[in-house]
Amino acid sequence: MNGLSRRCLLAASGGLLGVGVLGLAATAAGGEAVAPRRKLKIVVAGAHPDDPESGCGGTIARLSDAGHEVVALYLTRGERGIQGKSLEQAAAIRTAEAEKACKILGARPVFADQIDGDTEVNQRRYADFRGLLEAQRPDVVFTHWPVDTHRDHRACSHLVYDAWLGLGKRFALYYFEVLTGEQTQNFAPTDYVDIGATEARKREATMAHVSQNPEEFYPLHDRMNRFRGDESGCKFAEAFIRQVQAMGSDLLDHGFPSSSWGG
Ligand SMILES: [Zn+2]
C-alpha cells in the first residue's frame, strides 16, 4: 500500500466508510461485492433529479455494490428544468431519466412530489416529509448541505434536518455538495469516500439526465471529484459533512449492533 492510498483509507475509516462496517473497503480492495455485516437502508435525498447522482453517485454505487439498500428520494421531479415544456411534460421526461440513473447506480427512486422552483417548507411539508422518511426507516441519510444558492436545495436540507430531529436523531446524517462555489457554499468536509471504482458509473448515471445537458455541467463535478481525491489521497473522491449527535453515527462507529428502529 503506498502512502496515498493508505491516507485515503485512514481518512475514510474515521467516518462514513467505517471500513468493514459498510463493506466498502473490501469492495475497493478486491473489486468484488462482499456481504455486509448487516444490510443497511440508505436514503439519499436530493431536490431534483440529478442531485443525488451528481452529489454522491459514486458512494451510492459503492453502497449498493456492498449489498445495502439505497433509495434516491427526489423532492421534486424537476418540473421547471426543461425550457419549452410544461411542468407535466418535464416531470415525465425527468422522472424517466431519474429511473434510468437509479438503475445504473443500483438505487430505487422515490418521489416526494413537491414542485421544482416552488418547494415549500412549512408545518404541513415538515410533517409530510417526516412521514415519508419515517416510512423508509433509514439507517443513514444523505442530503444537501443547507448553505446553497439554490432555494430547492436549501428546502430539501431543512426538511431532512427537521425530520432527523423529529425522529429522535436515530439515523446517521451526512451532507453532500453539488457544484461547490456555484451552488454549495462554505463546505468543509469531515469525511471522504474513495469513488475510484465507481466514478465511471457516477458519470454514466449523471449523463442519463440528457435533458439537463450533462456534458456541460459534468466537467465541473469531475473537477470536484478529482479535487476531493487530491484532498483525501485518492484519484476520485466524494466529500461529506457529518452531522454530530446522530444515533446512527455511533452505530457506524460500533459496528451497527442493531437497528435504531428496533427491527
Ligand atoms: Zn438541484
Side-chain angles (χ1 to χ4, degrees):
M1 182 182 290
N2 65 34
L4 281 182
S5 55
R6 182 190 198 90
R7 222 172 63 219
C8 187
L9 206 63
L10 288 174
S13 68
L16 168 66
L17 275 182
V19 175
V21 176
L22 294 178
L24 296 184
T27 308
E32 294 168 16
V34 293
R37 257 192 232 173
R38 184 168 76 77
K39 184 172 177 173
L40 300 178
K41 178 68 172 285
I42 291 140
V43 173
V44 183
H48 312 106
D50 81 14
D51 286 324
E53 296 86 333
S54 55
C56 56
T59 301
I60 293 173
R62 287 200 62 181
L63 290 167
S64 65
D65 286 353
H68 301 298
E69 181 184 356
V70 186
V71 164
L73 175 56
Y74 300 98
L75 184 60
T76 78
R77 295 173 188 258
E79 288 84 351
R80 288 196 166 82
I82 310 178
Q83 269 195 344
K85 300 284 185 196
S86 70
L87 300 189
E88 292 74 21
Q89 288 170 330
I93 292 167
R94 298 196 66 187
T95 298
E97 290 173 347
E99 287 167 350
K100 185 176 176 192
C102 281
K103 200 168 278 184
I104 293 164
L105 297 176
R108 181 167 60 83
V110 171
F111 297 90
D113 288 332
Q114 285 220 40
I115 301 296
D116 178 14
D118 198 21
T119 50
E120 297 174 341
V121 178
N122 55 34
Q123 294 250 25
R124 183 173 68 84
R125 295 297 192 178
Y126 277 136
D128 288 351
F129 195 85
R130 174 179 161 175
L132 196 62
L133 211 50
E134 187 173 22
Q136 295 294 329
R137 297 167 68 92
D139 298 296
V140 186
V141 174
F142 296 87
T143 193
H144 293 273
W145 175 241
V147 186
D148 190 296
T149 57
H150 201 305
R151 287 176 175 171
D152 292 339
H153 295 176
R154 298 200 294 270
C156 185
S157 191
H158 288 308
L159 290 167
V160 171
Y161 179 72
D162 192 81
W164 177 78
L165 287 175
L167 294 171
K169 308 178 180 179
R170 65 170 66 197
F171 49 83
L173 176 57
Y174 293 90
Y175 302 97
F176 59 76
E177 56 181 337
V178 286
L179 300 181
T180 292
E182 189 179 312
Q183 294 189 332
T184 299
Q185 311 281 318
N186 289 54
F187 193 86
T190 58
D191 294 84
Y192 296 88
V193 171
D194 178 350
I195 61 161
T198 53
E199 188 274 336
R201 277 160 68 202
K202 171 179 185 168
R203 181 185 296 263
E204 189 186 349
T206 308
M207 290 294 176
H209 296 277
V210 174
S211 69
Q212 302 304 296
N213 303 315
E215 64 286 346
E216 286 177 19
F217 75 81
Y218 195 79
L220 299 173
H221 288 285
D222 188 56
R223 282 221 303 271
M224 278 177 41
N225 296 338
R226 291 173 188 273
F227 176 70
R228 295 308 185 193
D230 287 343
E231 282 189 322
S232 57
C234 308
K235 186 172 182 188
F236 299 102
E238 288 170 342
F240 301 93
I241 292 177
R242 183 184 197 177
Q243 174 65 52
V244 298
Q245 300 182 347
M247 193 186 293
S249 294
D250 292 330
L251 291 175
L252 277 174
D253 289 340
H254 295 104
F256 266 92
S258 62
S259 169
S260 57
W261 294 94

